[in-house]
């Protein structure tokens, strides 16, 4: 496969009069996910952060 190793999160959107839907939000176009994904509050600010380990290395995405 030659597809890029992308990482998305999906935001749940509620609009009046419409069915709920998920909107994809690109986090990174190189990190990918691999086999290890952890969601935890790494920097203790009350927001969930994402940690991944893949062929390209280990990545931390801080929620701001």
């Amino acid at each position: 496969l030659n597809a890029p190793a992308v990482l998305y999160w999906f935001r749940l959107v509620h609009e009046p009069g419409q069915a709920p839907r998920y909107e994809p939000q690109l986090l990174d176009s190189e990190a990918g996910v691999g086999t290890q994904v952890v969601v935890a509050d790494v920097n203790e600010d009350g927001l969930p952060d994402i940690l991944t380990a893949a062929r390209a290395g280990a990545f931390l995405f801080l929620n701001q």
Side-chain angles (χ1 to χ4, degrees):
L1 294 171
N2 291 332
V6 296
L7 179 60
Y8 282 91
W9 72 277
F10 293 84
R11 183 176 74 158
L12 181 58
V13 177
H14 295 276
E15 293 181 359
Q18 295 185 7
R21 69 178 195 285
Y22 288 99
E23 284 186 351
Q25 307 289 315
L26 180 64
L27 278 179
D28 192 83
S29 61
E30 296 180 17
V33 177
T35 59
Q36 300 292 319
V37 178
V38 176
V39 177
D41 185 5
V42 175
N43 58 355
E44 299 180 345
D45 64 356
L47 300 172
D49 306 307
I50 301 172
L51 298 96
T52 67
R55 206 175 339 182
F59 298 89
L60 169 62
F61 298 93
L62 296 174
N63 191 349
Q64 299 179 3

